[in-house]
Amino acid sequence: MRVLVLTGAGVSAESGIPTFRGKDGYWRNLDPAKLATPEAFARDPKLVWEWYRERRQRIRSARPNAAHAAIAKLAQHADEFLLVTQNVDDLHARSGLRADKMVQIHGDIFVTRCSRCDFGFTEGMEEQQEIPKCTRCAALMRPGVVWFGEQLPWKELQRVENYLDRGACDLVIVAGTTATFGYIVDWALRASPERFRGELIEVNPEETPLSEFATQRIHESAAVALPKIVDQVITS
Ligand code: OAD
């Protein structure tokens, strides 16, 4: 069985991490869609760092939920498996999913990297209070995530493309994402071409641009729906 899973913020919602476009997403009355931009960082790097540091702390104290656990279980049972997550948290990894089975296409919130050169490191538990400066070139350091309008990281993109090029999937699950980015819709459809008759399951309480293409629409939360789906797949 060849499987592709695509996840978004909704999968971490039940771990207490606010989604981007949900009502809890606002921070100090600011829209995350406006904070997660190169323009916001250029204008007020301190403010953007404060937001990311708060998110980091929240993620550190959060725990993976039943949706993360179900996806990790599915990975163990599939012959070929890839998770492509838009989430920058580490909850998929902490639920036991191996790094070679997962692509964080929007980066990793715990990485701090230079805004100019290629220097970067993974942050430990201690957050600095200052805006970090690169020890190599003295430019401002920034969170290692993809912001609106930025290109996707090349290596991660290649891993997704390679997986899709190797053939269609028997099962594609898209969970907890508004699928607003064209590439998410595109990858789901490429992995599940109509002529191949694979399953394309969408888990989301709301409709998305992908809904009309899904072979199954599950209007439940990810932590409720995914354990049931995975158990069904494994036993069938
Ligand atoms: P969004 O915040 O746009 O959407 C969250 C989705 O999860 C919505 O479709 C909700 O209906 C759904 N949802 C909420 N709670 C859920 C639950 N418990 N179970 C299942 N689904 C639930 O988040 P993303 O689609 O991940 O990118 O957003 C994609 C990207 O936009 C993010 O990675 C980020 C953001 O801006 C960048 O920063 C580049």
Side-chain angles (χ1 to χ4, degrees):
M1 189 178 50
R2 191 155 205 277
V3 179
L4 175 72
V5 179
L6 297 158
T7 62
V11 165
S12 293
E14 284 153 289
S15 292
I17 315 293
T19 62
F20 276 83
R21 294 175 182 83
K23 60 176 170 23
D24 302 328
Y26 272 66
W27 176 77
R28 296 187 193 166
N29 267 337
L30 297 169
D31 180 354
K34 295 202 178 116
L35 282 169
T37 63
E39 292 77 21
F41 187 71
R43 200 168 44 239
D44 195 343
K46 188 165 175 285
L47 180 78
V48 172
W49 263 115
E50 276 170 19
W51 180 54
Y52 277 101
R53 285 190 177 125
E54 271 193 40
R55 278 185 83 88
R56 281 178 173 176
Q57 278 312 112
R58 196 183 263 258
I59 293 164
R60 285 188 182 105
S61 51
R63 291 161 99 193
N65 65 53
H68 299 104
I71 292 167
K73 185 172 168 184
L74 181 59
Q76 285 181 339
H77 284 82
D79 301 310
E80 288 181 76
F81 181 94
L82 188 69
L83 165 74
V84 180
T85 184
Q86 296 160 86
N87 298 345
V88 296
D89 64 49
D90 59 355
L91 297 179
H92 281 298
R94 279 203 267 143
S95 71
L97 189 63
R98 280 179 11 207
D100 62 322
K101 303 222 177 241
M102 169 173 57
V103 173
Q104 279 187 291
I105 200 68
H106 289 168
D108 175 348
I109 195 170
F110 293 109
V111 167
T112 295
R113 67 175 168 84
C114 181
S115 56
R116 187 192 300 151
C117 74
D118 59 6
F119 180 63
F121 55 86
T122 300
E123 200 79 53
M125 295 294 279
E126 286 295 310
E127 288 292 339
Q128 308 172 37
Q129 292 312 311
E130 307 296 313
I131 304 169
K133 287 226 175 100
C134 180
T135 50
R136 290 203 193 142
C137 77
L140 294 186
M141 302 284 280
R142 54 167 280 179
V145 300
V146 175
W147 282 330
F148 286 102
E150 292 187 319
Q151 286 191 349
L152 296 176
W154 192 83
K155 256 204 308 214
E156 280 74 6
L157 198 52
Q158 284 309 305
R159 286 185 59 207
V160 179
E161 293 291 333
N162 289 344
Y163 190 73
L164 293 173
D165 284 349
R166 286 207 302 274
C169 293
D170 306 288
L171 173 62
V172 178
I173 299 176
V174 185
T177 176
T178 42
T180 37
F181 293 113
Y183 46 85
I184 298 298
V185 176
D186 179 45
W187 291 337
L189 298 182
R190 261 173 71 194
S192 186
E194 237 175 293
R195 61 179 189 285
F196 184 77
R197 289 180 177 273
E199 285 278 355
L200 171 50
I201 304 178
E202 183 178 56
V203 178
N204 197 317
E206 287 170 23
E207 295 285 308
T208 81
L210 251 180
S211 304
E212 62 175 298
F213 303 105
T215 55
Q216 274 188 63
R217 284 275 303 116
I218 302 182
H219 291 269
E220 289 177 334
S221 85
V224 169
L226 280 167
K228 290 190 282 189
I229 296 169
V230 168
D231 283 345
Q232 261 172 27
V233 168
I234 289 172
T235 50
S236 68

